[in-house]
Amino acid sequence: MANWQTLIREQLEKDRDEATALLQAWVKNPSVQGEEESIQESIAKTLASMGLDVDLWVMEGKELLSHPYFVSPRTVFTGSPNVVGVWKGAGEGRSLILNGHVDVVPAGDRAQWSDDPFSGKIEDGKLYGRGATDMKGGNLSSLLAISVLQKLGVKLKGDVIFQSVVEEESGGAGTLATILRGYKADAALIPEPTNMKIFPKQQGSMWFRLSVKGRSAHGGTRYEGVSAIEKSLAVVQAIGKLEKERNDRLDDPLYEKLPIPIPINIGVIEGGKWPSSVADLVKLEGRMGVAPGEQMEDAKAEMTAALKRLAEVDPWFAEQPVELEWYGARWVPGSVAEDHPLMNILHRQFEAVTGKRAVVEASPWGTDGGLLTALADTPAIVVGPGVTQVAHYPNEHIVLDDVFTCAEIFALALIEWCGVAEQNTQN
């Protein structure tokens, strides 16, 4: 029987320089929303050169745009194609999706970066640039897992489906489009930056907007008006109370290390039009976390009920109730059993590669895994190189050793999950 671990590690070491250069090229490509076409075409060419069946398409159509899980700030996706490459198996094996996104968040204030945000600079074993951690480094791990097995002459029984999608940062329309196109598998791995922790559960989230009303008056006689700014303070307190109630009842041990497992964050506040006028309207916008296994409609109902209870402590809210709107981005929560067969494989291969036991937690943020689990009957597990604490930050980077460690684990997992049909020892 082949010593797969040794063979895979040796081949990855041979390929390290070429693979690192590929990741540099990806990071140097500023694939922010609407500008993903060039990197996706490049990835499609790479997949084709590997002999995969490649599907490159721009999302469109009523089925997608009218789908209840469709969320995006746009409805036209010109310049933002999806790419899927299928490595066909010999048959009679389990299939696996390797799903990752190429859209990256904007670089932000460039003065806070030590170098160009898309430099791809390598220093002290780290590759720098927007998207290096979130999540082009993880995407490379997935690609290498396939290529290393091919170079070793391995033919798997089950199909491996490599997905390079857009729109993850805006709510998952890219992955939704792959599902509607018919792509599904027996399981999925999503190499988001988890610092190699294994996340069988992913928090969901959704954006909300609150309109808090007041009554305008001249600032010199402000006592004749009702300040929406002052009333908004009570609303913020009610949201904080709701957050505490929701988290106090959550007893999932995978969340025990997180101070607030499913936060409700208020990220935007706008109110008032004139310094000498009493503000008659304040708008609050935020993000509500949704627990794995929780229905998003149930979470919405709890928010509605909390806002209605404001009238019990302040009659003003009976007269002018807070208006609640759900808008913008949304990520579906996901959950896979901790004893799922793929979880067991990941545990074994992680320990074989690193000599350590894997840490299992639940994600503090949403991913496309919830969509795959809920809509494609494809249980999705999130595990990958990179750490959340540098994703979306200035000087984002990834440790290159971690990328190759993850690739080794994924390659071994593919062998065990999909099964080996044959090996051409001449390769």
Side-chain angles (χ1 to χ4, degrees):
M1 183 176 180
N3 184 341
W4 293 119
Q5 186 174 341
T6 299
L7 293 172
I8 289 169
R9 184 170 295 182
E10 290 176 348
Q11 186 63 51
L12 284 172
E13 186 59 33
K14 293 177 184 177
D15 297 341
R16 186 178 179 105
D17 289 346
E18 181 181 356
T20 300
L22 180 60
L23 180 56
Q24 276 187 307
W26 287 356
V27 172
K28 287 180 179 179
N29 189 312
S31 53
V32 295
Q33 187 179 76
E35 299 179 19
E36 303 98 334
E37 186 171 37
S38 64
I39 191 171
Q40 291 289 65
E41 289 179 345
S42 173
I43 289 171
K45 290 179 181 178
T46 298
L47 297 174
S49 71
M50 295 166 59
L52 276 62
D53 296 333
V54 179
D55 187 6
L56 172 71
W57 81 99
V58 175
M59 301 182 293
E60 61 181 357
K62 182 178 179 181
E63 183 182 17
L64 174 68
L65 300 182
S66 64
H67 195 281
Y69 283 87
F70 173 79
V71 178
S72 176
R74 55 182 176 155
T75 57
V76 177
F77 299 96
T78 303
S80 302
N82 268 342
V83 180
V84 173
V86 180
W87 186 25
K88 293 292 293 183
E92 299 183 358
R94 293 178 292 199
S95 56
L96 187 73
I97 285 174
L98 297 169
N99 172 284
H101 66 88
V102 295
D103 55 311
V104 303
V105 299
D109 181 7
R110 296 198 173 207
Q112 297 183 35
W113 288 76
S114 300
D115 210 325
D116 184 286
F118 299 99
S119 69
K121 177 185 68 175
I122 297 175
E123 187 173 85
D124 297 329
K126 301 173 182 177
L127 192 151
Y128 285 81
R130 173 63 80 227
T133 273
D134 189 14
M135 59 176 290
K136 293 176 180 178
N139 292 347
L140 181 65
S141 296
S142 294
L143 188 71
L144 288 174
I146 297 173
S147 69
V148 70
L149 294 182
Q150 289 183 328
K151 290 179 179 180
L152 292 174
V154 173
K155 180 68 173 178
L156 298 177
K157 294 180 179 178
D159 295 346
V160 181
I161 304 167
F162 179 91
Q163 298 183 341
S164 180
V165 302
V166 297
E167 285 291 296
E168 191 276 343
E169 297 288 1
S170 297
T175 290
L176 174 61
T178 68
I179 295 169
L180 296 178
R181 207 164 174 89
Y183 291 107
K184 59 189 301 185
D186 293 308
L189 289 175
I190 301 182
E192 289 275 12
T194 71
N195 199 22
M196 296 305 296
K197 296 177 182 178
I198 301 174
F199 291 170
K201 298 181 180 181
Q202 303 108 56
Q203 176 192 146
S205 64
M206 46 193 174
W207 288 2
F208 63 87
R209 179 181 293 121
L210 305 177
S211 296
V212 184
K213 298 177 182 178
R215 184 171 60 238
S216 64
H218 193 286
T221 55
R222 71 176 185 84
Y223 42 82
E224 294 182 357
V226 177
S227 172
I229 292 175
E230 293 179 7
K231 296 302 180 184
S232 71
L233 300 179
V235 176
V236 172
Q237 290 177 344
I239 296 299
K241 181 180 179 182
L242 174 63
E243 179 189 66
K244 186 176 186 305
E245 291 172 351
R246 286 172 52 77
N247 282 275
D248 283 350
R249 69 169 185 254
L250 188 65
D251 60 357
D252 191 326
L254 295 189
Y255 276 113
E256 64 183 5
K257 293 184 179 180
L258 294 178
I260 309 175
I262 46 172
I264 305 177
N265 177 68
I266 296 176
V268 176
I269 181 167
E270 297 177 351
K273 296 295 184 181
W274 193 252
S276 290
S277 294
V278 174
D280 61 359
L281 179 65
V282 167
K283 289 189 176 182
L284 306 171
E285 294 178 348
R287 169 201 184 277
M288 184 179 192
V290 184
E294 180 180 24
Q295 297 298 313
M296 302 185 90
E297 293 303 318
D298 292 341
K300 289 181 179 181
E302 287 197 0
M303 174 73 81
T304 299
L307 296 173
K308 284 184 176 180
R309 287 195 294 270
L310 282 165
E312 299 173 6
V313 296
D314 185 341
W316 173 257
F317 291 109
E319 180 182 340
Q320 296 288 347
V322 177
E323 294 181 2
L324 169 62
E325 175 190 357
W326 299 100
Y327 82 105
R330 177 182 60 199
W331 289 267
V332 181
S335 181
V336 173
E338 291 180 59
D339 62 352
H340 187 278
L342 184 56
M343 282 290 294
N344 295 332
I345 289 172
L346 289 172
H347 274 289
R348 283 194 294 273
Q349 302 305 347
F350 182 93
E351 188 165 358
V353 171
T354 68
K356 304 174 183 177
R357 298 191 65 178
V359 176
V360 180
E361 294 181 0
S363 79
W365 25 254
T367 76
D368 281 354
L371 285 168
L372 289 166
T373 303
L375 299 183
D377 193 27
T378 302
I381 298 169
V382 181
V383 55
V387 294
T388 304
Q389 288 76 12
V390 300
H392 297 207
Y393 285 61
N395 298 322
E396 180 179 345
H397 61 271
I398 194 162
V399 176
L400 288 169
D401 283 348
D402 292 345
V403 173
F404 292 94
T405 296
C406 183
E408 185 177 339
I409 294 168
F410 279 12
L412 290 167
L414 284 175
I415 286 173
E416 191 171 355
W417 177 260
C418 300
V420 175
E422 60 184 48
Q423 181 189 14
N424 180 356
T425 56
Q426 293 180 343
N427 285 5

